[in-house]
Amino acid sequence: MSNVLIGAIAASSFAIGLFFLRYWRSSRDRFYLLFAASFLIEAVNRAAMGVIGVSELEPLHYCIRFIAYAVIVLAIWDKNRRR
């Protein structure tokens, strides 16, 4: 994947993470905090891929992406569980 596209994805993920962080600050809902964490993890992962120049086919990047998506699933589960 080209470095320009990786940089665009990293910047977009960072911006989305900041939006969720702002929603968390106003509502104090853990759902938004977990979504912010997920997108910020993805932003750091993509930025590292662009800086280091490692292919996204490396297993480490899949593991980090899996963790980011698992945080999203955790946020959805946490929001919908019975209290």
Side-chain angles (χ1 to χ4, degrees):
M1 188 179 301
S2 87
N3 284 341
V4 173
L5 189 55
I6 291 173
I9 293 171
S12 300
S13 296
F14 185 73
I16 293 169
L18 289 180
F19 273 113
F20 279 117
L21 204 57
R22 187 179 72 180
Y23 294 142
W24 173 75
R25 286 186 63 189
S26 65
S27 70
R28 295 292 180 191
D29 189 353
R30 190 172 29 191
F31 177 79
Y32 296 122
L33 180 63
L34 291 173
F35 262 69
S38 174
F39 279 99
L40 292 176
I41 288 170
E42 183 66 19
V44 170
N45 182 35
R46 294 291 178 159
M49 284 173 55
V51 170
I52 297 172
V54 178
S55 170
E56 70 176 332
L57 300 177
E58 295 290 325
L60 176 64
H61 296 293
Y62 280 114
C63 290
I64 294 172
R65 194 176 304 162
F66 176 76
I67 291 169
Y69 293 151
V71 170
I72 289 175
V73 170
L74 175 69
I76 293 170
W77 175 79
D78 185 53
K79 186 71 176 179
N80 291 311
R81 70 184 168 119
R82 295 178 189 244
R83 301 195 188 246

